[in-house]
Amino acid sequence: MEENKWQEKFEDWIRENGPSLTMFIYKQVRNKELAEDLYQEVLISAYLNLEQFEERANFKSWMYKIAINKCRDFWRKQKAAQKFWEEKVYHYDMECSIPEPEDYVITRTSTKEMIDTINELPTIYREPILLYYFKDKSLLEISSAKELPISTVKTRMRRARNQLKEKTLLMEIAAN
């Protein structure tokens, strides 16, 4: 009965405040489609965690806090993806022109080395990296798919990145 009460309150709040929450998210990310996607993630996260809501807290504040955290997660993911590519952890050339033979060999070699480096990681570190960067899965999706706490997924991602940085640095030193 208690769970049903919270579901009804949740639905009522969404009907009443959903558009303003969507507008709030839009103001944070400045992209309509992205704001709608993040809004859906906020609703899912809030619904799945209704039992953790403390009645003494303000429901609106709780929902907006989830929204802010989802926006921050998005920004972190964007920043991490950008940093990932800038650090040349995986090199992929998007040029449409036909490369010179020397450039082709160098690119192919560095791409193969990076794939080999990623494949050298232990499975527990390799899987989250591949899912996050190459399958565009969120940390929450990886957590659900692997039936792991999100903190464990974050830790494994951090450790994998650190190992890739070390291996990439060693490869650069060996090349020089």
Side-chain angles (χ1 to χ4, degrees), residues 6-162:
W6 283 112
Q7 287 177 348
E8 288 176 21
K9 283 187 176 185
F10 180 76
E11 291 172 11
D12 291 342
W13 192 90
I14 296 304
R15 276 192 285 279
E16 193 174 311
N17 298 295
S20 63
L21 181 61
T22 305
M23 184 57 69
F24 172 78
I25 295 169
Y26 173 77
K27 287 179 181 178
Q28 301 299 312
V29 297
R30 302 279 187 220
N31 180 302
K32 185 178 185 249
E33 291 80 19
L34 177 59
E36 290 169 354
D37 290 345
L38 289 173
Y39 173 72
Q40 291 298 318
E41 286 186 33
V42 168
L43 295 183
I44 291 168
S45 182
Y47 185 79
L48 293 175
N49 293 293
L50 270 175
E51 68 277 354
Q52 294 177 6
F53 175 71
E54 297 178 12
E55 200 164 335
R56 62 189 168 117
N58 183 326
F59 195 77
K60 182 177 180 179
S61 297
W62 185 66
M63 290 294 290
Y64 275 76
K65 183 68 173 177
I66 294 172
I68 289 169
N69 287 336
K70 289 296 178 187
C71 291
R72 285 180 183 157
D73 287 346
F74 168 76
W75 293 322
R76 280 188 204 115
K77 185 176 179 180
Q78 288 295 101
K79 188 175 180 181
Q82 182 179 9
K83 188 174 181 181
F84 182 82
W85 293 112
E86 286 173 1
E87 291 175 349
K88 298 179 184 173
V89 175
Y90 183 81
H91 181 71
Y92 182 74
D93 191 6
M94 294 294 289
E95 291 181 15
C96 294
S97 62
I98 299 172
E100 296 294 322
E102 300 85 14
D103 293 338
Y104 175 76
V105 170
I106 290 169
T107 300
R108 186 169 174 202
T109 302
S110 63
T111 301
K112 183 182 179 332
E113 287 173 354
M114 194 45 59
I115 290 170
D116 290 344
T117 303
I118 291 171
N119 285 332
E120 288 174 10
L121 290 173
T123 304
I124 63 170
Y125 300 141
R126 181 177 55 241
E127 286 179 343
I129 286 287
L130 293 174
L131 290 171
Y132 187 81
Y133 289 108
F134 300 103
K135 300 291 184 183
D136 284 331
K137 299 291 183 189
S138 70
L139 294 176
L140 187 60
E141 290 170 328
I142 296 169
S143 172
S144 296
K146 296 295 174 185
E147 298 178 354
L148 294 168
I150 196 153
S151 59
T152 302
V153 174
K154 288 179 183 179
T155 300
R156 289 179 180 179
M157 291 285 293
R158 186 179 68 249
R159 289 178 181 169
R161 281 190 210 109
N162 288 340

